[in-house]
Amino acid sequence: MKRLALLLLLLPLFGLQWAVPVAQILRGETMLREGTALRLALQPVDPYDAMRGRYLALSFTESTREHSLPDGMRPGDTLYAGGYFTKVNGQQRVRLAALKASTGELTDWTASAEGPNAQVYAIEVSPDHSKVVIGGSFSSVNGSSKPGYGMALLSASTGEMLPMPVNDTVRTAGQNAAIFDIAVDNDGFYATAYSSVGRLDEANLEGSFKADWNGNLIWLEPCHGDTYGIAPTKEMVYTVGHAHSCETIYGFPNMPEVRKDGSH
């Protein structure tokens, strides 16, 4: 009687053990019957290699894809560079330079960014190639700090400073703050900011903004929390950051940080 009970108990287990491989086989057969066949181009088999043993070398045919620039944009012959350098091709260039895109030869475009922590984090060119917009931690450009504090709009041909009224409103630069990212379209440019400074006279924005190509402010998003990247589309503007309070625009309030030792 006990043996019969034990047998009846084990039968479902035996059934499950068989059910799994049977299901896998059926699924494989279904994939072979209904799936899409992929054909790979294989090179001849190298029968043996002392280091790799026996192996197959896979080879795939290269493909090309046409890429187009956004509406209104066209390729140019000048490459504009920004960073933390003081020389390019052996010649003095302070954080900014322009080179011939075809040869890498340095041009006579000589804008410069200065300050105790002068770095250029972002640089973009207007769609008509007439202007260059830059952002960073620098406190002046070409000797000017208004405009020139954390951002500047420059002539693409001469490097001359152009009017930029938005810099009267957005003032973010210095040792621990900067205009961090810039994106452009036909209507203007977009930028983000970060700051770990407690004084508004040194840095007054951690969010994002848009200005037209004359440097006039169009809109400003002043949420608290560093903003690192920005990407506009025709309908939306996407940002990347860690906004923790948007009460300034009637958004969500600041959320306390909760740790094991309590809220902060």
Side-chain angles (χ1 to χ4, degrees), residues 88-108:
V88 176
N89 292 350
Q91 298 185 46
Q92 184 175 5
R93 291 292 186 273
V94 183
R95 299 346 186 222
L96 292 162
L99 304 96
K100 292 184 178 179
S102 57
T103 64
E105 180 184 352
L106 193 66
T107 72
D108 57 2

Side-chain angles (χ1 to χ4, degrees), residues 43-58:
Q43 292 181 353
V45 177
D46 185 337
Y48 182 74
D49 181 275
M51 299 299 293
R52 291 180 286 181
R54 300 185 183 277
Y55 69 96
L56 288 175
L58 300 180

Side-chain angles (χ1 to χ4, degrees), residues 124-154:
E124 293 286 349
V125 181
S126 63
D128 65 0
H129 292 190
S130 67
K131 299 174 181 179
V132 177
V133 57
I134 64 171
S137 57
F138 48 84
S139 54
S140 66
V141 174
N142 295 350
S144 170
S145 60
K146 198 172 185 180
Y149 190 78
M151 68 178 89
L153 195 59
L154 305 167

Side-chain angles (χ1 to χ4, degrees), residues 3-248:
R3 290 183 178 178
L4 179 60
L6 183 60
L7 181 61
L8 293 175
L9 183 63
L10 293 176
L11 280 176
L13 296 177
F14 291 142
L16 286 174
Q17 286 182 329
W18 279 101
V20 173
V22 168
Q24 291 177 334
I25 293 171
L26 291 176
R27 184 168 55 184
E29 291 295 327
T30 301
M31 291 175 63
L32 291 174
R33 185 173 61 254
E34 301 176 2
T36 301
L38 299 176
R39 299 180 182 274
L40 303 179
L42 300 180
Q43 292 181 353
V45 177
D46 185 337
Y48 182 74
D49 181 275
M51 299 299 293
R52 291 180 286 181
R54 300 185 183 277
Y55 69 96
L56 288 175
L58 300 180
S59 176
F60 303 95
T61 303
E62 293 183 1
S63 61
T64 59
R65 180 181 177 184
E66 295 293 332
H67 294 275
S68 59
L69 293 171
D71 294 341
M73 291 191 178
R74 54 186 173 81
D77 56 4
T78 304
L79 174 67
Y80 296 91
Y84 193 54
F85 51 82
T86 56
K87 285 188 177 182
V88 176
N89 292 350
Q91 298 185 46
Q92 184 175 5
R93 291 292 186 273
V94 183
R95 299 346 186 222
L96 292 162
L99 304 96
K100 292 184 178 179
S102 57
T103 64
E105 180 184 352
L106 193 66
T107 72
D108 57 2
W109 191 83
T110 55
S112 61
E114 306 95 8
N117 183 36
Q119 299 184 56
V120 177
Y121 291 148
I123 183 168
E124 293 286 349
V125 181
S126 63
D128 65 0
H129 292 190
S130 67
K131 299 174 181 179
V132 177
V133 57
I134 64 171
S137 57
F138 48 84
S139 54
S140 66
V141 174
N142 295 350
S144 170
S145 60
K146 198 172 185 180
Y149 190 78
M151 68 178 89
L153 195 59
L154 305 167
S155 166
S157 58
T158 66
E160 178 187 1
M161 181 80 77
L162 300 175
M164 198 182 200
V166 64
N167 201 202
D168 294 341
T169 302
V170 178
R171 308 284 293 172
T172 298
Q175 194 71 32
N176 298 294
I179 299 300
F180 201 71
D181 188 32
I182 294 175
V184 304
D185 61 19
N186 289 326
D187 299 324
F189 60 91
Y190 308 75
T192 67
Y194 88 90
S195 171
S196 59
V197 180
R199 301 194 322 273
L200 292 178
D201 61 333
E202 184 173 346
N204 64 3
L205 183 70
E206 295 179 312
S208 59
F209 67 89
K210 180 182 180 180
D212 63 25
W213 283 115
N214 291 318
N216 298 305
L217 181 65
I218 296 177
W219 56 255
L220 184 143
E221 172 269 294
C223 290
H224 292 221
D226 299 338
T227 309
Y228 307 116
I230 192 163
T233 68
K234 291 182 178 179
E235 295 82 20
M236 292 280 191
V237 176
Y238 297 90
T239 61
V240 178
H242 66 93
H244 53 79
S245 172
C246 285
E247 291 178 283
T248 49

